Amino acid sequence: MTNGTATNGTATDGTATTDLDARLEAHRVELTGYCYRMLGSSFEAEDAVQDTLVRAWRSYDRFEGRSSLRSWLYRIATNVCLDMLTAGNKRARPMDLTDSTPLARAALSPRPDNTWLEPMPDSRVLPTPADPAEAAVAKESVRLAFMAALQQLPAKQRAVLILREVLAWKASEVAELLGTSVASVNSALQRARATLAERRQPGADASVSDPLDEGQQKLLERYVAAFEGYDMSALTALLAEDAIMTMPPFDLWLTGSEDITGFMTTLGAPCAGSRLVPVEVNGLPGFAQYKPDPETGGFVPWAVQALEISDDRITGFHCFLDTQRWFPLFGLPLRLEAEADETEQGAQGR
């Protein structure tokens, strides 16, 4: 893409090349959101978007302009995602794979990375629309429960549902993109809706306002105080009776405040004294958790937490533990010094 020459041999001047690069790049965030919903993987989504933009750049001289540049990019991105999904791998959460485990039988058994639905920073997948209602819909469409539900759909049904119900495309536009009929699109949408209704996901009832209302903000403040103080009584008061805790890459998941706090004081005891830095993850409030480093006195990454909230209680407590992957993705440092004050920690999380 340099020296004014396209990689397919078509000559371009430098100004045209720069303009095309900028026009393609302007669609990166929304395309990443689309590919992420399709694939359930943060890194595969970013790879798919990069592949999409490279293909578009190389074949732009054949773009006839019968559709908008945006529609053309979505067609390329859809084909890239469908190709990536031919292996049939469905990203999952622990509750999609195993039964809840009582604390007395808790064991930390990891599964391969490609098993798991992955977290994603809001900033990488959510454009900033002028309409607050559109922003709320966009956030709901990347929340963990909805993302897990999408993974239950065949690939083309998944694309139809996202394009029609999340991105509000017309049936005729989706039919043109997929090279099929309007009737086929409507049929696929009906089947996708029926599947989602039959397989309601844990966390689907989570209710997080955008922005957080006063009660939710206070709930999070109390959560931070309880977690950093490792006050299990205070934490129990914030958890719903049927709250769920997950910890990918481990397939263990726990149900109920008693088992969750029991785990935190046994297998999770090294997390006492942790520090939490706010993050925005999957349309949910979340935190980057740094646990104490006994060798240096500082704090080292331990988890990206995503919290589901309903009726002023925490209903889902999801900890993604592969910090060497997640913290750089979220733009977080791989260490906090012991003397870091709360202002510095908050700045790191923004």
Side-chain angles (χ1 to χ4, degrees):
M1 298 186 185
T2 58
N3 300 324
T5 304
T7 53
N8 61 7
T10 302
T12 64
D13 61 52
T15 301
T17 299
T18 301
D19 179 63
L20 177 57
D21 286 345
R23 291 174 65 199
L24 295 177
E25 192 64 29
H27 295 279
R28 181 180 291 275
V29 172
E30 65 170 310
L31 288 172
T32 304
Y34 176 62
C35 293
Y36 176 59
R37 295 178 185 100
M38 285 290 292
L39 301 171
S41 164
S42 317
F43 297 104
E44 287 183 3
E46 296 199 330
D47 288 346
V49 171
Q50 190 61 29
D51 191 2
T52 296
L53 297 181
V54 169
R55 291 188 191 190
W57 202 94
R58 288 175 173 169
S59 59
Y60 186 72
D61 63 318
R62 299 192 294 277
F63 174 51
E64 299 175 354
R66 289 181 295 180
S67 62
S68 67
L69 176 64
R70 180 174 182 259
S71 297
W72 184 59
L73 289 172
Y74 269 92
R75 181 180 294 112
I76 298 171
T78 299
N79 289 331
V80 170
C81 289
L82 293 177
D83 288 345
M84 293 175 73
L85 288 167
T86 54
N89 181 50
K90 294 180 179 181
R91 298 279 175 160
R93 298 188 295 172
M95 62 277 276
D96 303 322
L97 303 176
T98 65
D99 292 329
S100 178
T101 305
L103 179 60
R105 293 194 283 110
L108 298 178
S109 303
R111 296 202 187 194
D113 290 341
N114 64 4
T115 304
W116 303 114
L117 178 64
E118 297 179 347
M120 180 66 104
D122 287 0
S123 60
R124 289 182 179 257
V125 292
L126 298 178
T128 308
D131 184 351
E134 289 183 18
V137 169
K139 281 197 170 186
E140 289 175 4
S141 71
V142 293
R143 288 181 182 156
L144 295 171
F146 184 73
M147 289 289 300
L150 286 176
Q151 302 302 300
Q152 305 298 319
L153 300 176
K156 287 194 175 180
Q157 285 185 29
R158 201 180 304 179
V160 168
L161 185 83
I162 296 167
L163 291 166
R164 291 281 285 120
E165 302 223 321
V166 176
L167 301 177
W169 285 39
K170 297 176 181 178
S172 57
E173 294 171 329
V174 178
E176 181 180 358
L177 182 148
L178 295 175
T180 188
S181 67
V182 169
S184 294
V185 167
N186 289 335
S187 177
L189 181 59
Q190 289 178 350
R191 293 197 303 274
R193 287 171 173 167
T195 299
L196 296 192
E198 291 171 3
R199 303 182 183 181
R200 191 165 182 80
Q201 294 286 320
D205 296 324
S207 175
V208 182
S209 62
D210 182 31
L212 296 177
D213 63 33
E214 184 178 357
Q216 292 168 344
Q217 190 60 53
K218 288 183 177 179
L219 175 66
L220 293 180
E221 291 170 1
R222 292 167 62 198
Y223 170 76
V224 170
F227 195 96
E228 291 190 341
Y230 232 58
D231 183 340
M232 295 301 112
S233 295
L235 188 58
T236 297
L238 305 178
L239 295 173
E241 289 185 6
D242 58 352
I244 289 173
M245 179 180 183
T246 67
M247 293 164 285
F250 302 115
D251 58 16
L252 170 73
W253 63 285
L254 302 167
T255 304
S257 58
E258 185 176 348
D259 274 4
I260 291 172
T261 56
F263 177 88
M264 292 175 66
T265 54
T266 53
L267 292 175
C271 290
S274 290
R275 294 291 177 266
L276 299 181
V277 174
V279 295
E280 293 182 336
V281 50
N282 286 84
L284 296 166
F287 297 93
Q289 177 192 345
Y290 291 83
K291 73 173 185 175
D293 183 347
E295 295 183 2
T296 66
F299 299 88
V300 292
W302 183 247
V304 169
Q305 303 178 359
L307 303 185
E308 292 168 334
I309 298 172
S310 182
D311 297 327
D312 295 326
R313 289 289 182 271
I314 295 169
T315 57
F317 174 46
H318 306 290
C319 303
F320 297 91
L321 303 182
D322 191 353
T323 56
Q324 293 301 313
R325 302 174 75 210
W326 306 135
F327 275 53
L329 182 71
F330 280 78
L332 293 159
L334 293 177
R335 178 173 183 79
L336 290 182
E337 298 303 330
E339 64 271 20
D341 62 28
E342 294 299 326
T343 301
E344 290 170 340
Q345 292 178 34
Q348 295 282 12
R350 288 194 293 269

